[in-house]
Amino acid sequence: MTAPEPIGPARAVRERLLTAGFRQILGVTFLAFGAEAIVRALVPLLVLARGGDAVLVGLVATAYSLPSLLFRPLVGSLVDSWQHRLLYRGGALVGVLVPALLLIPSIPVMLATRFLTGTAWGFFSVSNHSLMAKLAPPDRRAEASGIFMTMPALGQLFLPALGVAIYTATRHEAWPIGLAMAMFLGAFLITTRMHVPPTPP
């Protein structure tokens, strides 16, 4: 005799993970993190090319990281209590525009640019991670997180090298920065078409 079929939770059908919304957030994450990976690899070369030294490279990196300490907890609170959709799209839009300031050949402008980028990235990344949690089925959140986190890794796998290769081949920062801005623009356009569920009370 065959064993009876299991009943109850063992037979529960798992919710679908790769919905249209979840595929969209994977695309946004790859494009945005890939764009930032290009810029992050390029910035030290620009600092050195503009007369800076290794210490200044570290200071520029700090200018990018500082907003994470200052603003991300606040951003998380705002996402929970305010307009998740506006914070998400606003962070993405600023992420598109600010890298253009790196074309100005000035170290102080570069420091300010990386600080602004870190601030925009704080709004975008917290909103993006929060949206992933909202879109993932409750019983598949760990699986969703695993798939989600492969997108930054995929972007960082080859895009920094591509950006540096373009820079060294063209001898001008406009081309890799333009590529990064185009990628982030693609991410922003996807966010404008995404449904961002409101935070439940």
Side-chain angles (χ1 to χ4, degrees):
M1 296 179 61
T2 58
E5 292 187 12
I7 59 175
R11 293 187 61 188
V13 178
R14 303 178 77 192
E15 290 187 58
R16 183 166 168 248
L17 177 58
L18 293 177
T19 60
F22 195 79
R23 291 196 302 270
Q24 286 175 324
I25 201 171
L26 293 180
V28 168
T29 304
F30 169 75
L31 290 170
F33 277 82
E36 175 55 24
I38 292 173
V39 175
R40 195 175 299 177
L42 191 64
V43 162
L45 301 180
L46 296 182
V47 172
L48 297 175
R50 294 170 182 177
D53 56 14
V55 173
L56 196 52
V57 169
L59 290 176
V60 172
T62 300
Y64 171 81
S65 301
L66 189 59
S68 294
L69 298 175
L70 297 177
F71 302 133
R72 288 196 187 211
L74 174 62
V75 173
S77 178
L78 288 174
V79 168
D80 283 338
S81 62
W82 198 56
Q83 295 287 339
H84 187 175
R85 176 174 55 87
L86 294 179
L87 294 171
Y88 187 38
R89 294 173 183 170
L93 180 59
V94 176
V96 174
L97 302 175
V98 170
L101 297 176
L102 292 173
L103 299 175
I104 300 173
S106 166
I107 297 294
V109 170
M110 184 177 293
L111 285 163
T113 299
R114 292 306 285 163
F115 184 86
L116 290 174
T117 300
T119 303
W121 194 257
F123 279 85
F124 169 78
S125 63
V126 171
S127 300
N128 197 52
H129 282 68
S130 301
L131 181 57
M132 186 278 296
K134 286 182 178 180
L135 295 179
D139 63 339
R140 303 185 73 175
R141 285 200 176 116
E143 181 184 359
S145 178
I147 296 172
F148 174 82
M149 291 308 297
T150 62
M151 295 298 104
L154 183 61
Q156 292 164 7
L157 183 64
F158 66 93
L159 286 168
L162 176 62
V164 171
I166 294 173
Y167 174 64
T168 55
T170 62
R171 300 291 181 181
H172 203 288
E173 61 269 24
W175 294 103
I177 289 174
L179 173 61
M181 292 176 65
M183 290 179 63
F184 222 130
L185 177 61
F188 168 72
L189 292 176
I190 295 174
T191 68
T192 63
R193 303 179 62 85
M194 295 176 66
H195 171 62
V196 180
T199 302

